[in-house]
Amino acid sequence: MQEMIAYCGLDCAQCPAYLATQKNDDAARAQVAALWSKLFRMEIKAEQINCDGCHSVSGRLIGHCSTCPVRKCGQEKGLENCGHCPDYSCAQLDGLLKFIPNPTARENLERIVAGRR
């Protein structure tokens, strides 16, 4: 499966919300909602699990992604993701990555930065 690296470094193509949406799988949506409700200590409903990935123009984005300041900054700068930013890594990105329970986000961006050099 091809990578879809979001501005923050997460791979949308590996995200269970993205996968459930693309398969239109309500059982998978329910599983994601239950897991994320527990993980993030907030109620997330299965019908909220609809996402076409960080670079989506459809408007279907999951939770924080729809208002994410890192995403907005990357869009304004016309970047593919933060790994392509000349200001990498900024305080805004670093703050977000502290809350993302997936270490591969930073690893993905570091790989992209290394490839630019």
Side-chain angles (χ1 to χ4, degrees):
M1 181 179 287
Q2 189 173 356
E3 289 182 324
M4 291 178 55
I5 305 300
Y7 295 98
C8 66
L10 288 173
D11 184 353
C12 295
Q14 299 298 317
C15 175
Y18 173 82
L19 295 170
T21 301
Q22 300 314 300
K23 293 177 184 173
N24 197 24
D25 185 337
D26 289 338
R29 285 183 174 101
Q31 289 176 337
V32 173
L35 175 66
W36 286 4
S37 291
K38 184 176 180 179
L39 180 66
F40 297 114
R41 298 181 186 148
M42 62 188 297
E43 183 181 3
I44 300 172
K45 297 179 180 179
E47 53 270 16
Q48 294 173 297
I49 306 297
N50 285 295
C51 189
D52 291 319
C54 186
H55 295 280
S56 167
V57 292
S58 73
R60 290 196 315 176
L61 294 167
I62 193 74
H64 176 75
C65 298
S66 64
T67 60
C68 179
V70 170
R71 179 177 180 269
K72 182 179 178 187
C73 178
Q75 287 176 320
E76 288 172 354
K77 291 182 177 182
L79 301 172
E80 186 175 337
N81 57 53
C82 292
H84 295 278
C85 184
D87 301 323
Y88 178 83
S89 174
C90 69
Q92 187 166 256
L93 175 63
D94 292 340
L96 176 63
L97 290 176
K98 286 180 185 176
F99 294 99
I100 293 177
N102 186 332
T104 62
R106 171 76 72 186
E107 293 167 9
N108 287 335
L109 293 174
E110 292 291 335
R111 178 176 41 82
I112 291 165
V113 169
R116 285 189 351 216
R117 295 182 182 151

